[in-house]
Structures are given as C-alpha cells and as structure tokens.
Amino acid sequence: MKPRLILLTLIIAITLGSCSESNKYSHSQVEKKIYKQVDFDTFILQHEESYVESLDKINDSTYKVVHNFTNPLTGVEMRTTRIYEFDSIGC
C-alpha cells in the first residue's frame, strides 16, 4: 500500500508542476521566436534582405510585427505587418 501512495504522490506532483505558470515564455524568448520566423521566411522566400522594423506587444500573448524585405523579382522594398499570437507555452 505504501509504494502505491508514494507513486500516486509523485504523479500528482509532476502533473501539477507541469501545469504551473513557470512555463510562460518571457518577452525576450518570444522576440527570439519572432526574429527566427522572419529569418526563416526570408530564407524560404529568397528575399534579398529582410529586417524587423517594429515589434509591439499588444497584450500578454499577442504581438504586432512590422518587417520590411526586398522583393527579389522586382527589387522593390515591401512592408508586411503580421500579428503573432502565443499560448502559455510559447507556441
């Protein structure tokens, strides 16, 4: 009976620990994810140059990002505004 009680206590502790608010991403970690996504888009879409013009925090989980890039077909600099929404674990 005692090993079952210890095992049950351990399972409850792990479950409650994984649901804590300590998993919430900080602003700097979210910024890194956004910059990585912009760099990835630049690589995949083969833009010659891309940079983040502004990164604004709308609320705890929503960010507005304005970034510019040079279109490789026309050579014209273009601006894109995106809204990124993150959940409590930063996805």
Side-chain angles (χ1 to χ4, degrees):
M1 184 76 173
K2 194 171 185 178
R4 287 185 180 179
L5 183 62
I6 292 173
L7 182 63
L8 180 63
T9 305
L10 183 62
I11 290 172
I12 290 173
I14 290 172
T15 303
L16 291 176
S18 66
C19 296
S20 69
E21 288 296 316
S22 64
N23 289 337
K24 209 167 215 181
Y25 272 33
S26 68
H27 181 69
S28 63
Q29 290 171 322
V30 169
E31 281 185 7
K32 286 179 185 178
K33 281 188 158 242
I34 291 172
Y35 281 109
K36 283 182 183 179
Q37 182 63 42
V38 170
D39 289 342
F40 179 75
D41 291 345
T42 301
F43 175 73
I44 293 298
L45 298 175
Q46 299 180 353
H47 296 150
E48 294 173 12
E49 184 179 330
S50 178
Y51 61 93
V52 174
E53 184 176 305
S54 68
L55 189 142
D56 301 321
K57 184 175 182 178
I58 297 173
N59 59 32
D60 287 342
S61 62
T62 308
Y63 292 80
K64 177 182 173 184
V65 180
V66 178
H67 64 90
N68 297 345
F69 63 92
T70 303
N71 187 326
L73 298 175
T74 61
V76 176
E77 186 172 319
M78 303 179 84
R79 178 179 293 149
T80 302
T81 302
R82 291 186 178 170
I83 303 293
Y84 291 91
E85 292 184 10
F86 294 91
D87 59 8
S88 63
I89 59 171
C91 294

mmCIF file of all heavy atoms in Angstrom, residues 11-39:
data_model
loop_
_atom_site.group_PDB
_atom_site.id
_atom_site.type_symbol
_atom_site.label_atom_id
_atom_site.label_comp_id
_atom_site.label_asym_id
_atom_site.label_seq_id
_atom_site.Cartn_x
_atom_site.Cartn_y
_atom_site.Cartn_z
ATOM 1 N N ILE A 11 3.157 11.187 -9.008
ATOM 2 C CA ILE A 11 2.424 11.502 -10.239
ATOM 3 C C ILE A 11 1.670 12.822 -10.096
ATOM 4 O O ILE A 11 1.689 13.660 -11.002
ATOM 5 C CB ILE A 11 1.476 10.345 -10.606
ATOM 6 C CG1 ILE A 11 2.282 9.138 -11.059
ATOM 7 C CG2 ILE A 11 0.487 10.783 -11.690
ATOM 8 C CD1 ILE A 11 1.459 7.884 -11.266
ATOM 9 N N ILE A 12 1.041 13.046 -8.957
ATOM 10 C CA ILE A 12 0.307 14.303 -8.740
ATOM 11 C C ILE A 12 1.273 15.480 -8.723
ATOM 12 O O ILE A 12 1.000 16.532 -9.307
ATOM 13 C CB ILE A 12 -0.509 14.223 -7.429
ATOM 14 C CG1 ILE A 12 -1.674 13.243 -7.617
ATOM 15 C CG2 ILE A 12 -1.036 15.592 -7.035
ATOM 16 C CD1 ILE A 12 -2.444 12.943 -6.353
ATOM 17 N N ALA A 13 2.431 15.336 -8.089
ATOM 18 C CA ALA A 13 3.417 16.420 -8.028
ATOM 19 C C ALA A 13 3.931 16.774 -9.424
ATOM 20 O O ALA A 13 4.070 17.948 -9.768
ATOM 21 C CB ALA A 13 4.567 16.028 -7.119
ATOM 22 N N ILE A 14 4.201 15.776 -10.235
ATOM 23 C CA ILE A 14 4.692 16.036 -11.600
ATOM 24 C C ILE A 14 3.606 16.700 -12.434
ATOM 25 O O ILE A 14 3.873 17.641 -13.185
ATOM 26 C CB ILE A 14 5.178 14.723 -12.246
ATOM 27 C CG1 ILE A 14 6.462 14.251 -11.562
ATOM 28 C CG2 ILE A 14 5.402 14.909 -13.742
ATOM 29 C CD1 ILE A 14 6.919 12.878 -11.988
ATOM 30 N N THR A 15 2.381 16.233 -12.307
ATOM 31 C CA THR A 15 1.279 16.810 -13.076
ATOM 32 C C THR A 15 1.049 18.264 -12.703
ATOM 33 O O THR A 15 0.901 19.123 -13.574
ATOM 34 C CB THR A 15 -0.012 16.001 -12.845
ATOM 35 O OG1 THR A 15 0.218 14.650 -13.184
ATOM 36 C CG2 THR A 15 -1.155 16.555 -13.675
ATOM 37 N N LEU A 16 1.013 18.559 -11.430
ATOM 38 C CA LEU A 16 0.802 19.940 -11.002
ATOM 39 C C LEU A 16 1.996 20.822 -11.346
ATOM 40 O O LEU A 16 1.838 21.991 -11.676
ATOM 41 C CB LEU A 16 0.521 19.983 -9.497
ATOM 42 C CG LEU A 16 -0.813 19.380 -9.057
ATOM 43 C CD1 LEU A 16 -0.919 19.413 -7.538
ATOM 44 C CD2 LEU A 16 -1.973 20.093 -9.703
ATOM 45 N N GLY A 17 3.182 20.279 -11.287
ATOM 46 C CA GLY A 17 4.368 21.050 -11.639
ATOM 47 C C GLY A 17 4.428 21.407 -13.103
ATOM 48 O O GLY A 17 4.886 22.476 -13.495
ATOM 49 N N SER A 18 3.927 20.533 -13.959
ATOM 50 C CA SER A 18 3.954 20.809 -15.397
ATOM 51 C C SER A 18 2.904 21.816 -15.806
ATOM 52 O O SER A 18 2.990 22.400 -16.871
ATOM 53 C CB SER A 18 3.771 19.515 -16.190
ATOM 54 O OG SER A 18 2.480 18.998 -15.975
ATOM 55 N N CYS A 19 1.913 22.042 -14.985
ATOM 56 C CA CYS A 19 0.836 22.987 -15.303
ATOM 57 C C CYS A 19 1.053 24.344 -14.663
ATOM 58 O O CYS A 19 0.172 25.189 -14.703
ATOM 59 C CB CYS A 19 -0.509 22.427 -14.845
ATOM 60 S SG CYS A 19 -0.993 20.939 -15.705
ATOM 61 N N SER A 20 2.184 24.573 -14.064
ATOM 62 C CA SER A 20 2.410 25.838 -13.373
ATOM 63 C C SER A 20 2.660 26.964 -14.360
ATOM 64 O O SER A 20 2.935 26.759 -15.529
ATOM 65 C CB SER A 20 3.601 25.707 -12.422
ATOM 66 O OG SER A 20 4.789 25.569 -13.157
ATOM 67 N N GLU A 21 2.605 28.169 -13.867
ATOM 68 C CA GLU A 21 2.806 29.353 -14.690
ATOM 69 C C GLU A 21 4.278 29.580 -15.027
ATOM 70 O O GLU A 21 4.602 30.473 -15.777
ATOM 71 C CB GLU A 21 2.259 30.593 -13.969
ATOM 72 C CG GLU A 21 0.747 30.641 -13.926
ATOM 73 C CD GLU A 21 0.126 30.763 -15.310
ATOM 74 O OE1 GLU A 21 0.620 31.570 -16.113
ATOM 75 O OE2 GLU A 21 -0.837 30.045 -15.581
ATOM 76 N N SER A 22 5.181 28.786 -14.471
ATOM 77 C CA SER A 22 6.603 28.969 -14.758
ATOM 78 C C SER A 22 6.927 28.620 -16.209
ATOM 79 O O SER A 22 7.983 28.959 -16.705
ATOM 80 C CB SER A 22 7.453 28.118 -13.816
ATOM 81 O OG SER A 22 7.188 26.754 -14.048
ATOM 82 N N ASN A 23 6.015 27.953 -16.900
ATOM 83 C CA ASN A 23 6.224 27.615 -18.301
ATOM 84 C C ASN A 23 5.965 28.796 -19.229
ATOM 85 O O ASN A 23 6.211 28.717 -20.415
ATOM 86 C CB ASN A 23 5.313 26.456 -18.711
ATOM 87 C CG ASN A 23 5.754 25.158 -18.095
ATOM 88 O OD1 ASN A 23 6.903 25.002 -17.722
ATOM 89 N ND2 ASN A 23 4.832 24.238 -17.989
ATOM 90 N N LYS A 24 5.451 29.884 -18.706
ATOM 91 C CA LYS A 24 5.124 31.040 -19.526
ATOM 92 C C LYS A 24 6.407 31.653 -20.092
ATOM 93 O O LYS A 24 7.380 31.842 -19.373
ATOM 94 C CB LYS A 24 4.382 32.061 -18.685
ATOM 95 C CG LYS A 24 3.429 32.899 -19.477
ATOM 96 C CD LYS A 24 2.521 33.658 -18.561
ATOM 97 C CE LYS A 24 1.191 33.730 -19.248
ATOM 98 N NZ LYS A 24 0.225 34.446 -18.495
ATOM 99 N N TYR A 25 6.406 31.935 -21.362
ATOM 100 C CA TYR A 25 7.591 32.496 -22.004
ATOM 101 C C TYR A 25 7.745 33.964 -21.648
ATOM 102 O O TYR A 25 6.775 34.685 -21.504
ATOM 103 C CB TYR A 25 7.460 32.365 -23.519
ATOM 104 C CG TYR A 25 7.984 31.071 -24.071
ATOM 105 C CD1 TYR A 25 7.921 29.884 -23.365
ATOM 106 C CD2 TYR A 25 8.568 31.034 -25.308
ATOM 107 C CE1 TYR A 25 8.400 28.708 -23.872
ATOM 108 C CE2 TYR A 25 9.050 29.861 -25.844
ATOM 109 C CZ TYR A 25 8.964 28.703 -25.107
ATOM 110 O OH TYR A 25 9.449 27.545 -25.633
ATOM 111 N N SER A 26 8.970 34.404 -21.553
ATOM 112 C CA SER A 26 9.240 35.807 -21.304
ATOM 113 C C SER A 26 9.201 36.572 -22.628
ATOM 114 O O SER A 26 9.200 35.988 -23.709
ATOM 115 C CB SER A 26 10.602 35.975 -20.643
ATOM 116 O OG SER A 26 11.624 35.630 -21.548
ATOM 117 N N HIS A 27 9.180 37.875 -22.526
ATOM 118 C CA HIS A 27 9.116 38.730 -23.713
ATOM 119 C C HIS A 27 10.330 38.500 -24.614
ATOM 120 O O HIS A 27 10.199 38.459 -25.837
ATOM 121 C CB HIS A 27 9.031 40.196 -23.272
ATOM 122 C CG HIS A 27 8.930 41.167 -24.403
ATOM 123 N ND1 HIS A 27 7.815 41.267 -25.198
ATOM 124 C CD2 HIS A 27 9.810 42.063 -24.884
ATOM 125 C CE1 HIS A 27 8.016 42.196 -26.120
ATOM 126 N NE2 HIS A 27 9.221 42.692 -25.944
ATOM 127 N N SER A 28 11.509 38.329 -24.029
ATOM 128 C CA SER A 28 12.720 38.153 -24.841
ATOM 129 C C SER A 28 12.697 36.820 -25.593
ATOM 130 O O SER A 28 13.175 36.744 -26.722
ATOM 131 C CB SER A 28 13.964 38.255 -23.969
ATOM 132 O OG SER A 28 13.975 37.214 -23.016
ATOM 133 N N GLN A 29 12.137 35.780 -24.979
ATOM 134 C CA GLN A 29 12.046 34.495 -25.667
ATOM 135 C C GLN A 29 11.073 34.564 -26.836
ATOM 136 O O GLN A 29 11.313 33.974 -27.884
ATOM 137 C CB GLN A 29 11.614 33.396 -24.689
ATOM 138 C CG GLN A 29 12.677 33.058 -23.685
ATOM 139 C CD GLN A 29 12.150 32.130 -22.612
ATOM 140 O OE1 GLN A 29 11.019 32.264 -22.177
ATOM 141 N NE2 GLN A 29 12.985 31.191 -22.191
ATOM 142 N N VAL A 30 9.980 35.305 -26.659
ATOM 143 C CA VAL A 30 9.014 35.481 -27.743
ATOM 144 C C VAL A 30 9.640 36.279 -28.869
ATOM 145 O O VAL A 30 9.470 35.960 -30.042
ATOM 146 C CB VAL A 30 7.725 36.160 -27.214
ATOM 147 C CG1 VAL A 30 6.821 36.583 -28.354
ATOM 148 C CG2 VAL A 30 6.990 35.225 -26.272
ATOM 149 N N GLU A 31 10.402 37.323 -28.531
ATOM 150 C CA GLU A 31 11.093 38.111 -29.558
ATOM 151 C C GLU A 31 12.031 37.231 -30.373
ATOM 152 O O GLU A 31 12.087 37.348 -31.595
ATOM 153 C CB GLU A 31 11.883 39.254 -28.916
ATOM 154 C CG GLU A 31 11.059 40.436 -28.537
ATOM 155 C CD GLU A 31 11.917 41.580 -28.031
ATOM 156 O OE1 GLU A 31 13.163 41.497 -28.090
ATOM 157 O OE2 GLU A 31 11.330 42.567 -27.578
ATOM 158 N N LYS A 32 12.764 36.358 -29.713
ATOM 159 C CA LYS A 32 13.682 35.459 -30.419
ATOM 160 C C LYS A 32 12.922 34.568 -31.389
ATOM 161 O O LYS A 32 13.362 34.356 -32.523
ATOM 162 C CB LYS A 32 14.462 34.599 -29.427
ATOM 163 C CG LYS A 32 15.530 35.342 -28.685
ATOM 164 C CD LYS A 32 16.239 34.430 -27.707
ATOM 165 C CE LYS A 32 17.227 35.188 -26.854
ATOM 166 N NZ LYS A 32 17.886 34.325 -25.862
ATOM 167 N N LYS A 33 11.767 34.057 -30.969
ATOM 168 C CA LYS A 33 10.965 33.203 -31.851
ATOM 169 C C LYS A 33 10.482 33.992 -33.071
ATOM 170 O O LYS A 33 10.476 33.489 -34.184
ATOM 171 C CB LYS A 33 9.763 32.633 -31.109
ATOM 172 C CG LYS A 33 10.096 31.471 -30.243
ATOM 173 C CD LYS A 33 8.812 30.866 -29.700
ATOM 174 C CE LYS A 33 9.081 29.476 -29.302
ATOM 175 N NZ LYS A 33 8.356 28.479 -29.994
ATOM 176 N N ILE A 34 10.071 35.234 -32.851
ATOM 177 C CA ILE A 34 9.582 36.064 -33.962
ATOM 178 C C ILE A 34 10.721 36.367 -34.931
ATOM 179 O O ILE A 34 10.549 36.256 -36.150
ATOM 180 C CB ILE A 34 8.930 37.347 -33.429
ATOM 181 C CG1 ILE A 34 7.612 36.992 -32.715
ATOM 182 C CG2 ILE A 34 8.685 38.341 -34.557
ATOM 183 C CD1 ILE A 34 6.962 38.143 -31.988
ATOM 184 N N TYR A 35 11.888 36.740 -34.415
ATOM 185 C CA TYR A 35 13.030 37.020 -35.287
ATOM 186 C C TYR A 35 13.441 35.775 -36.079
ATOM 187 O O TYR A 35 13.789 35.865 -37.254
ATOM 188 C CB TYR A 35 14.226 37.556 -34.490
ATOM 189 C CG TYR A 35 14.097 39.020 -34.141
ATOM 190 C CD1 TYR A 35 13.870 39.436 -32.842
ATOM 191 C CD2 TYR A 35 14.203 39.993 -35.128
ATOM 192 C CE1 TYR A 35 13.755 40.781 -32.529
ATOM 193 C CE2 TYR A 35 14.088 41.340 -34.832
ATOM 194 C CZ TYR A 35 13.864 41.724 -33.521
ATOM 195 O OH TYR A 35 13.744 43.049 -33.231
ATOM 196 N N LYS A 36 13.386 34.609 -35.434
ATOM 197 C CA LYS A 36 13.706 33.364 -36.140
ATOM 198 C C LYS A 36 12.703 33.095 -37.256
ATOM 199 O O LYS A 36 13.076 32.648 -38.342
ATOM 200 C CB LYS A 36 13.722 32.188 -35.170
ATOM 201 C CG LYS A 36 14.953 32.113 -34.325
ATOM 202 C CD LYS A 36 14.910 30.889 -33.428
ATOM 203 C CE LYS A 36 16.107 30.844 -32.513
ATOM 204 N NZ LYS A 36 16.066 29.675 -31.622
ATOM 205 N N GLN A 37 11.425 33.394 -36.997
ATOM 206 C CA GLN A 37 10.403 33.183 -38.026
ATOM 207 C C GLN A 37 10.615 34.131 -39.208
ATOM 208 O O GLN A 37 10.492 33.730 -40.367
ATOM 209 C CB GLN A 37 9.000 33.389 -37.437
ATOM 210 C CG GLN A 37 7.881 33.153 -38.422
ATOM 211 C CD GLN A 37 7.825 31.722 -38.926
ATOM 212 O OE1 GLN A 37 7.992 30.787 -38.149
ATOM 213 N NE2 GLN A 37 7.601 31.549 -40.207
ATOM 214 N N VAL A 38 10.966 35.382 -38.950
ATOM 215 C CA VAL A 38 11.238 36.339 -40.026
ATOM 216 C C VAL A 38 12.457 35.893 -40.822
ATOM 217 O O VAL A 38 12.454 35.931 -42.060
ATOM 218 C CB VAL A 38 11.418 37.768 -39.462
ATOM 219 C CG1 VAL A 38 11.935 38.716 -40.529
ATOM 220 C CG2 VAL A 38 10.105 38.276 -38.889
ATOM 221 N N ASP A 39 13.511 35.426 -40.140
ATOM 222 C CA ASP A 39 14.697 34.925 -40.844
ATOM 223 C C ASP A 39 14.366 33.698 -41.684
ATOM 224 O O ASP A 39 14.847 33.558 -42.807
ATOM 225 C CB ASP A 39 15.815 34.589 -39.855
ATOM 226 C CG ASP A 39 16.440 35.818 -39.237
ATOM 227 O OD1 ASP A 39 16.266 36.920 -39.806
ATOM 228 O OD2 ASP A 39 17.082 35.680 -38.188
#
